[in-house]
Amino acid sequence: MQRWYGKLLGFIAGWLLLRHPAGGVIGAVIGHAFDAGWLAPRRYKDHQVFGLGPEATREEIDQAYRRLISQYHPDRVAGAAPELRAQAEARAAELNAAYDRLRRGRDGRKTRH
């Protein structure tokens, strides 16, 4: 379910702070950015790539990474249509980037495979 309350609260706050209808619009736009997750820290977005919450353990992250990368690995879809290969390559790149950022964050340094 998508969040909606950011738009409403932003609209009300913008209208009251600027005392003008344009303030309500500005507040609604900021509220939409909040609801859409544009303002969320990157580490939460990296967890969402794997379908996990920010409280996930190392083992859960590793397990989700192995499961998803085996599903979207470009070698696995080598005989598929070009569009599917391109989608799998993009998803695998997204998974690898998120996993590297999470590993770097939890280990405190960049790791080599």
Side-chain angles (χ1 to χ4, degrees):
M1 183 171 167
Q2 290 187 340
R3 295 188 297 194
W4 55 269
Y5 51 86
K7 294 177 194 71
L8 177 65
L9 295 176
F11 178 79
I12 293 169
W15 187 291
L16 292 175
L17 287 173
L18 296 179
R19 303 215 185 262
H20 191 272
V25 173
I26 293 169
V29 169
I30 293 171
H32 174 71
F34 172 76
D35 288 341
W38 297 346
L39 304 175
R42 171 167 266 162
R43 67 179 173 269
Y44 296 140
K45 293 177 184 177
D46 290 338
H47 284 88
Q48 289 175 350
V49 168
F50 298 112
L52 302 171
E55 69 284 344
T57 64
R58 283 184 188 188
E59 292 78 24
E60 291 172 336
I61 294 170
D62 291 340
Q63 184 180 20
Y65 172 74
R66 285 192 301 270
R67 178 178 46 83
L68 289 170
I69 201 66
S70 69
Q71 182 179 356
Y72 291 104
H73 197 278
D75 291 344
R76 186 159 184 143
V77 294
E83 302 87 30
L84 293 176
R85 279 195 316 253
Q87 288 176 353
E89 289 172 2
R91 181 73 169 136
E94 178 185 23
L95 290 168
N96 284 326
Y99 187 67
D100 286 343
R101 283 191 296 268
L102 287 171
R103 284 186 58 111
R104 186 173 44 244
R106 74 175 179 221
D107 293 341
R109 65 190 189 296
K110 182 151 176 92
T111 59
R112 294 183 183 236
H113 298 302

